[in-house]
């Protein structure tokens, strides 16, 4: 074994950890044993933790860029990478750090998951992938599929912002905008008919891809390598995969004896929906809720999943609901510090501000900002800048002074 | 002195290296001694090279992210950073590497320069900056100004793509679209009236900011730290600042005895213009040319500068002209490998392909890709993806199969 070989040994049910499955094929519809009509339970990946190379989490010279660095604790990386991860922590004062995920290959955190899911498709021998997404997830999947030489079908929504539509199409994927409710049945049918590997969810409550959230663990590893264990991490939350991945990464560091605690994790869902907050409030493993109007389309989920419940509960965190106005204020705060984020991406900082800012002397706080401002629906709201007559110096002065 | 202190000692004319100036104030209009009516000569920054810390170019643990790592060989970093630089080299096969500059804080190489120019504004005591730009340079300047608490005026062009206009405004800058020919006079007038520091060019042939290209040297340092000295580097070229910065970085490595040669540098200008190619062809230090139609608006310059001439000549490279069709093919090649680049950003790879691909056994080749596909004018050309009726399975099959 080289240090870059995966130590993955199999899949394990989150519904009942004693229920185990072989590593292949990836269970793209969650745990077939423990799921029932009301809740679908995801699976996770197990590893031979006793064989993790010493010093994996030390900052050492010559570390490879991208998921390769953490390959022992990831499923096999059959698909080529794009230098995903390794994003900076930008200080925002008062012990607050922004983990800027817009520095990824397709400018969002989704690249961490798609390196892993497209690798699963390659490992499973699929000729293509199919994904339901109107934004970052779809474009990221398309990019990794293109790089791996796989075909890609993206089931997007009618009403996808034009810039995001162009983004989805940029990598040569077949983009099919369909009504939202038609996406999952169509995804299943395309997967069956063409043998394409589904890399997004196909179950009533969210299970998503069996291997996917493993890719998000690298966020925890990176934060630990740079800051140690923070007091808390605030995360934009849709289906809870990111949340779970970050929790699992820190939990592994504890299990490996690298550190002795996990940070408190705060899920930050749009107040217009909030299936995770509802599940925790009602004592359910997962649930669905109606979703009202929100411009945070990337995380405006009606469907929750059990992963998020585990992460918030096990970390001693909480499920927060943030309004569009709070996200908008957080987005403005980020822009004022030089970081232009998507509205959804600002949900983490919005949650942190809602909690009243710095948490006494508990230690540093990290807010994950998931993506760039280019993805927003309201990109062009307010129209373009009005041209100014350069001869009209009084008007130039007025506009400069007004600022 | 700590290892993060700047070793900058003064400014030196590129028109006559014996002509020297103090470090402050930055000469924002080039060399006042050697410039004449037909050519403006830039200045560069000098350093106490004999005091460069040992091991600065070794890959060592715990290196800071961003320009801080290279602070001894940069002008003083008075403005706070955003984790600029540290972008990945993505392999494209056959010894070819893409330096993906879209992973910077505002998703282009311009962040390397603006950390430095906004620092110069802070060091000079200015309350604001003013910049003429319709794209990446302006947005990057606005981001660093916001982070440093300076005001920012961007003189953009009418016809700026809407997504880029939103990008320019995102960081709170005053954006004034004006006819192209009015930008430079207005920039000078605003700088004078408000005491704002100009961070883009104000001279007849290009000199730009005295400190700016120093920020691009970090590209050479990073490439060296990861690959050693490549055989060649192909760069999208507008005013030639990037080209010069990369050349100077490698030249410093030679001067410091870290290595013994510089790579051949190939400037890649849109065929519709090409002031650097014209200057080299005609034996001039710099010149201006008319610019025809090109969609590569970020590098469609009529104005060249002496810096590019130095870089191509001293490195033994060549000035290439690439057509829009060649850039478009290169952009498609990058997208097929999972990298969505702006048309201008693909000029480097277009130049490499024009030269016939791999250069025998000379060593690795790096093409710099400067920015993301979100910046293109033709983002929405071809319309949005047509919605599909999910009940019409035959149509779904047809579209998936057509690919």
């Amino acid at each position: 074994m080289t240090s870059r070989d995966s130590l993955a040994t199999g899949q394990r049910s989150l519904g009942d950890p004693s229920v185990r499955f072989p590593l292949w094929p990836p269970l793209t519809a969650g745990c077939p044993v423990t799921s029932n009509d009301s809740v679908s339970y995801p699976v996770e990946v197990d590893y031979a933790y006793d064989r993790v190379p010493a010093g994996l989490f030390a900052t050492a010279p010559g570390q490879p860029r991208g998921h390769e660095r953490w390959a022992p604790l990831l499923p096999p990386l059959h698909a080529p990478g794009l230098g995903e991860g390794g994003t900076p922590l930008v200080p925002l004062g008062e012990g607050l750090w922004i983990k800027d995920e817009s520095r990824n290959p397709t400018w969002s955190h989704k690249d961490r998951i798609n390196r892993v899911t497209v690798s699963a498709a390659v490992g499973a021998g699929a000729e293509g992938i199919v994904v339901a997404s109107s934004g970052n997830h779809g474009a990221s999947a398309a990019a990794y599929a293109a790089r791996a030489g796989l075909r890609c079908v993206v089931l997007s929504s009618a009403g996808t912002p034009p810039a995001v539509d162009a983004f989805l199409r940029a990598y040569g994927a077949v983009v099919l905008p369909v009504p939202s409710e038609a996406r999952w049945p169509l995804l299943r049918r395309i997967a069956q008919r063409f043998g394409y590997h589904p890399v997004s969810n196909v179950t009533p409550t969210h299970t998503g891809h069996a291997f996917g959230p493993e890719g998000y663990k690298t966020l925890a590893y990176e934060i630990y390598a740079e800051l140690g264990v923070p007091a808390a991490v605030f995360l934009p939350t849709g289906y809870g995969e990111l949340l779970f991945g970050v929790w699992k990464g820190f939990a592994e560091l504890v299990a490996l004896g690298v550190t002795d605690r996990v940070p408190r994790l705060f899920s930050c869902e749009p107040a217009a929906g909030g299936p995770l907050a509802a599940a925790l409030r009602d004592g359910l493993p997962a649930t669905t809720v109606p979703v009202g109007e929100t411009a945070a389309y990337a995380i405006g989920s009606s469907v929750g999943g059990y992963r998020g419940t585990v992460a918030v509960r096990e970390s001693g965190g909480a499920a927060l609901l943030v309004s569009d106005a709070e996200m908008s204020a957080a987005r403005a705060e980020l822009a004022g510090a030089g970081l232009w984020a998507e509205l959804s991406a600002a949900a983490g900082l919005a949650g942190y501000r809602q909690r009243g800012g710095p948490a006494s002397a508990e230690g540093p706080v990290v807010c994950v900002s998931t993506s760039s401002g280019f993805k927003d629906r309201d990109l062009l709201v307010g129209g373009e800048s009005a041209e100014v007559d350069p001869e009209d110096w009084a008007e130039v002065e007025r506009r400069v002074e007004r600022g």
Side-chain angles (χ1 to χ4, degrees), chain A:
Chain A
M1 190 194 90
T2 74
S3 66
R4 299 212 192 165
D5 286 340
S6 172
L7 295 171
T9 54
Q11 299 174 83
R12 185 191 292 273
S13 174
L14 257 67
D16 177 351
S18 72
V19 176
R20 302 193 58 192
F21 306 92
L23 189 61
W24 300 97
L27 295 171
T28 52
C31 174
V33 176
T34 59
S35 298
N36 56 49
D37 286 349
S38 61
V39 177
S40 320
Y41 284 98
V43 296
E44 62 175 323
V45 178
D46 252 350
Y47 301 86
Y49 288 110
D50 56 334
R51 293 168 57 204
V52 170
L56 181 63
F57 300 101
T59 306
Q63 291 291 1
R65 175 98 184 199
H67 274 5
E68 277 74 9
R69 173 168 180 190
W70 314 108
L73 288 174
L74 294 174
L77 298 172
H78 292 302
L82 290 163
E84 54 284 337
T87 59
L89 281 162
V90 178
L92 222 66
E94 303 173 325
L96 176 62
W97 300 81
I98 304 298
K99 182 73 170 168
D100 183 6
E101 288 288 290
S102 77
R103 317 288 179 94
N104 274 298
T106 71
W107 314 291
S108 91
H109 64 305
K110 295 287 185 181
D111 293 321
R112 296 185 190 260
I113 201 171
N114 282 298
R115 174 78 192 280
V116 171
T117 53
V118 173
S119 288
V122 171
E127 287 178 10
I129 62 168
V130 55
V131 56
S133 163
S134 302
N136 291 322
H137 187 45
S140 173
Y144 280 87
R147 186 151 178 81
L150 299 189
R151 305 194 68 185
C152 177
V153 177
V154 181
L155 302 171
S156 71
S157 303
T160 299
V164 175
D165 186 52
F167 180 36
L168 287 170
R169 290 189 295 174
Y171 304 97
V174 173
V175 178
L176 302 177
V178 293
S180 283
E181 66 281 7
R183 298 199 303 181
W184 290 354
L186 207 55
L187 185 145
R188 278 193 289 265
R189 189 163 178 188
I190 289 170
Q192 193 166 33
R193 160 70 179 81
F194 293 95
Y196 287 4
H197 194 75
V199 302
S200 58
N201 188 57
V202 298
T203 51
T205 64
H206 189 276
T207 59
H209 194 282
F211 293 5
E214 304 296 315
Y216 288 136
K217 297 190 307 188
T218 59
L219 262 164
Y221 304 158
E222 290 172 17
I223 292 170
Y224 172 77
E226 199 164 338
L227 284 186
V229 180
V233 183
F234 289 77
L235 302 116
T237 299
Y239 299 123
E241 292 181 292
L242 170 64
L243 194 65
F244 178 81
V246 171
W247 173 76
K248 185 172 176 182
F250 280 110
E252 287 178 331
L253 293 173
V254 173
L256 288 164
V258 174
T259 181
D260 60 0
R261 63 184 178 83
V262 301
R264 296 169 71 194
L265 298 189
F266 293 88
S267 60
C268 303
E269 298 175 285
L276 176 55
L280 286 163
R281 181 194 64 213
D282 297 342
L284 298 172
T287 191
T288 59
V289 296
V291 181
E293 279 295 307
T294 172
Y297 72 96
I299 54 173
S301 307
S302 68
V303 174
Y306 184 55
R307 288 196 185 93
T309 305
V310 172
V312 170
R313 194 182 58 203
E314 298 292 316
S315 74
L320 308 180
L321 295 172
V322 292
S323 69
D324 279 28
E326 287 172 310
M327 288 187 271
S328 188
R331 180 174 62 175
E333 182 183 352
L334 290 169
L339 300 171
W340 188 38
E342 184 178 350
L343 188 66
S344 301
L349 180 61
Y352 173 71
R353 290 298 175 209
Q354 186 187 82
R355 296 279 293 191
S360 65
E362 287 181 58
V365 171
V366 174
C367 295
V368 177
S369 178
T370 45
S371 182
S372 88
F374 280 107
K375 322 292 181 63
D376 267 324
R377 276 193 210 282
D378 60 352
L379 198 57
L380 310 179
V381 170
E384 298 174 36
S385 303
E387 196 168 0
V388 65
D389 174 2
E391 303 298 314
D392 184 356
W393 176 249
E395 170 66 8
V396 169
E397 275 192 317
R398 199 181 61 75
R399 285 170 67 170
V400 170
E401 281 166 353
R402 193 179 52 190

